Structures are given as C-alpha cells and as structure tokens.
Amino acid sequence: MSYTSAPILETENLVLRGPEAKDVESIIRFLQDEKRSKGFGHIPERGNAWRWFALLVGHWHIRGYGYFSIQTKSGAFAGLAGVWNPEDWPEPELGWAVFSDFEGKSIAYEASYRVRNWACEELGFQKLASTIFKGNSRSIKLASRLEAKVEKHYNSPFFGGDVILYRHPSQKEN
C-alpha cells in the first residue's frame, strides 16, 4: 500500500507508483552505496538514508508530486523517477535513479519520459530541468535521449560540485 496519494502511471514495461514500505530497504542500500548514488545523493548513515525515504514520502504530501517507485511489470522494484522540488531547490527537477540490476534496459528512459509527460499534462509544468554531474555519462546520455538541451554549466551549492543543467522540452515541444 502506498504511503502517498501518488497516481499509478503505466508504460509498456513499467508501473510507476507511490513509495511503499517494501521499498525502504532497497532505497537505503542504494543511498548508502557511494558509487551508485553519487549523482543522486550519497547518504552513508543508515538513519539519514531512512530519513531521506521519509522526506520522499513527505514531498508527495506537501507538493502533490515527487519520486515514483519504478516497478517492472513482473513486480521487481527497479528504482525511482519523478519530479523533485524541496524547499530552497532552484526549480522543479526531473530526476531518476535505476538500481544496478536494472541498468541498460531503458527503464530510466521509459520511466522518466512517462513522468515528464505526466508532469506537463496533469500538473501543468511548463519547464523542467535535470541537474547532472559532468562525469555522469549515463545520465547525460539519458538527458540527450529525452531531448533535453544543455542550458548551462555551473558550480551548484546543492550538488556540491560542477554540474550541467539540462532543460527538458515543454509538452508542446514533445
């Protein structure tokens, strides 16, 4: 059962749903893995990673949107994709993270594309960004595949380093 009122979005291969209790351990493991979560937000302490999960749930309640849990049609929990915009964030951001066993299967693309369309069609977003570390070649490739364009390179206080801001096309441009 979802902790949020997130809608269920489907694609050909995926179900995007609100976070559930069964997602906690996978998310904590992901966040504690420095190599895997570097571009997303590495959190080495288990308690802080658990609190990030609570933030994920709370974001839905406060904003009415957030990260969806990506589930394959066979039921496997594959990662996260959604729109993130906590207090003091520069602007709404389309983000994604796919767990290691699910990389290279177009899951991040399929989920992010669906979330972006939902955000534009249902929430009325006119612009979304994705902020990606310069060395994150997989996410850079995905942003390009999503037809996002480089808007600027900058040193972000939120991300702690050199990042690239990608601007996604609006729904009208899709």
Side-chain angles (χ1 to χ4, degrees):
M1 182 162 120
S2 178
Y3 286 138
T4 71
S5 60
I8 294 175
L9 308 179
E10 292 198 38
T11 68
E12 181 180 347
N13 302 299
L14 306 172
V15 175
L16 307 175
R17 57 169 175 74
E20 299 178 359
K22 65 184 178 181
D23 302 337
V24 175
E25 289 303 319
S26 294
I27 290 174
I28 288 173
R29 271 193 308 279
F30 168 74
L31 292 170
Q32 288 184 300
D33 184 332
E34 185 174 9
K35 182 181 175 190
R36 298 285 313 139
S37 65
K38 182 178 184 250
F40 192 80
H42 172 60
I43 304 174
E45 303 84 13
R46 180 180 171 81
N48 288 338
W50 184 92
R51 281 184 274 288
W52 187 89
F53 180 82
L55 172 67
L56 169 79
V57 171
H59 190 286
W60 274 102
H61 290 281
I62 294 167
R63 295 281 193 217
Y65 57 86
Y67 277 111
F68 289 89
S69 293
I70 303 170
Q71 182 176 299
T72 65
K73 293 268 176 120
S74 65
F77 180 34
L80 301 167
V83 180
W84 190 243
N85 190 22
E87 181 72 22
D88 292 339
W89 211 248
E91 63 182 293
E93 179 175 11
L94 177 64
W96 53 81
V98 176
F99 303 148
S100 61
D101 292 348
F102 299 94
E103 281 191 341
K105 299 177 181 179
S106 292
I107 289 173
Y109 172 77
E110 192 172 330
S112 298
Y113 187 83
R114 179 66 180 97
V115 168
R116 185 177 71 190
N117 287 343
W118 170 78
C120 291
E121 293 168 4
E122 299 299 319
L123 301 177
F125 281 97
Q126 295 299 308
K127 65 178 191 169
L128 286 170
S130 290
T131 306
I132 302 171
F133 282 99
K134 286 183 183 177
N136 188 342
S137 60
R138 294 184 83 104
S139 283
I140 289 169
K141 184 178 177 181
L142 177 55
S144 293
R145 190 172 172 203
L146 288 166
E147 299 180 11
K149 305 293 184 213
V150 173
E151 185 170 288
K152 66 180 177 177
H153 295 250
Y154 70 106
N155 189 0
S156 169
F158 292 99
F159 299 98
D162 292 333
V163 296
I164 308 166
L165 179 83
Y166 283 84
R167 179 70 54 205
H168 290 272
S170 69
Q171 183 61 23
K172 294 174 185 170
E173 299 169 22
N174 273 337

